[in-house]
Amino acid sequence: QKEVEQDPGPLSVPEGAIVSLNCTYSNSAFQYFMWYRQYSRKGPELLMYTYSSGNKEDGRFTAQVDKSSKYISLFIRDSQPSDSATYLCAMSAGKNTDKLIFGTGTRLQVFP
Amino acid sequence: NAGVMQNPRHLVRRRGQEARLRCSPMKGHSHVYWYRQLPEEGLKFMVYLQKENIIDESGMPKERFSAEFPKEGPSILRIQQVVRGDSAAYFCASSPRPGQFYEKLFFGSGTQLSVL
């Protein structure tokens, strides 16, 4: 079993839709949870990160962490064609390292 | 302020040759991480280095792979006697200090290694 599971998609939605992306994990030591966006042939760029459980909102993006269920989500409101990319969840136990454990990524396509 | 610079962007090698991938961290960053991304897979941690020190190489294959981050110059990921299975995108990330500052962890654009 992988430490982090993520549905690879692809997920195809119309412009303006609400997108829900999810990851599950097995390691209860994870405390830091991140979502990265990766465009084709580019490096990942950080969208959101949260510590422990709870919600965090930034513009059209909301990240949720449920540590009791070992489940994290990223919601994108009013999705745009420019949001078309691969979204990677990543996690870390912290403790003086930026060693991240990534999900496989979900490919999102937002069509006009 | 330049970001994390990786070169070359694309590297083609024949089986048995050596591959050298370079990573210049962002200015002021002294911690470097290498990740590998195989087709249809997520990024996998390979190695974490500080200047002149390997801190964690738990993700590095035991043979043919090595990494360094000298006092001067870029970090180098070296793959000897490459095989087709080494074909992947290799990403470098840097941060000013480790842990709990993920907003300061930046990735380069990667080196795509193709082994013929």
Side-chain angles (χ1 to χ4, degrees):
Chain A
Q1 184 190 6
K2 291 180 181 177
E3 276 191 287
V4 179
E5 299 275 1
Q6 184 176 9
D7 187 333
L11 183 61
S12 186
V13 302
E15 184 175 356
I18 296 174
V19 175
S20 172
L21 303 165
N22 311 292
C23 288
T24 59
Y25 63 96
S26 57
N27 188 346
S28 57
F30 289 144
Q31 299 185 74
Y32 298 89
F33 304 91
M34 284 136 278
W35 286 96
Y36 283 84
R37 178 174 61 196
Q38 185 177 24
Y39 291 113
S40 181
R41 305 188 191 284
K42 296 288 188 183
E45 56 175 328
L46 181 68
L47 277 177
M48 307 274 290
Y49 85 95
T50 53
Y51 170 71
S52 194
S53 286
N55 293 2
K56 188 172 184 179
E57 190 173 318
D58 184 2
R60 297 184 294 112
F61 299 91
T62 300
Q64 288 185 350
V65 175
D66 181 349
K67 288 190 74 178
S68 62
S69 301
K70 297 190 177 69
Y71 187 88
I72 69 170
S73 300
L74 177 71
F75 298 96
I76 307 174
R77 290 184 298 280
D78 188 24
S79 56
Q80 304 294 311
S82 59
D83 295 328
S84 299
T86 296
Y87 289 80
L88 303 159
C89 64
M91 306 176 191
S92 172
K95 296 180 183 177
N96 298 320
T97 177
D98 290 324
K99 175 180 175 180
L100 303 179
I101 309 300
F102 281 86
T104 52
T106 299
R107 210 170 96 219
L108 172 67
Q109 179 73 40
V110 181
F111 56 89
Chain B
N1 185 13
V4 178
M5 304 300 291
Q6 287 190 250
N7 66 82
R9 286 298 312 273
H10 303 277
L11 182 61
V12 179
R13 286 286 178 267
R14 296 190 182 281
R15 280 179 295 171
Q17 292 184 319
E18 179 180 286
R20 281 187 179 231
L21 289 63
R22 294 175 186 76
C23 170
S24 295
M26 284 184 71
K27 188 176 180 180
H29 287 196
S30 57
H31 301 265
V32 166
Y33 301 79
W34 285 93
Y35 287 81
R36 177 165 64 174
Q37 188 171 38
L38 291 165
E40 308 304 322
E41 293 190 22
L43 282 88
K44 303 288 187 195
F45 168 80
M46 299 182 74
V47 62
Y48 163 34
L49 310 104
Q50 294 178 28
K51 288 278 188 183
E52 300 184 281
N53 281 308
I54 297 174
I55 307 302
D56 181 352
E57 56 182 346
S58 58
M60 287 272 273
K62 294 288 184 282
E63 296 178 354
R64 302 188 297 109
F65 285 72
S66 62
E68 62 177 11
F69 189 16
K71 188 176 179 181
E72 302 291 337
S75 175
I76 306 286
L77 179 67
R78 185 179 173 209
I79 311 172
Q80 295 178 293
Q81 299 175 319
V82 296
V83 301
R84 288 217 172 109
D86 297 332
S87 296
Y90 291 82
F91 290 94
C92 168
S94 74
S95 71
R97 49 183 166 152
Q100 306 176 30
F101 297 97
Y102 299 103
E103 72 274 20
K104 297 188 188 300
L105 177 70
F106 293 98
F107 283 82
S109 293
T111 293
Q112 180 65 51
L113 173 65
S114 298
V115 180
L116 303 179

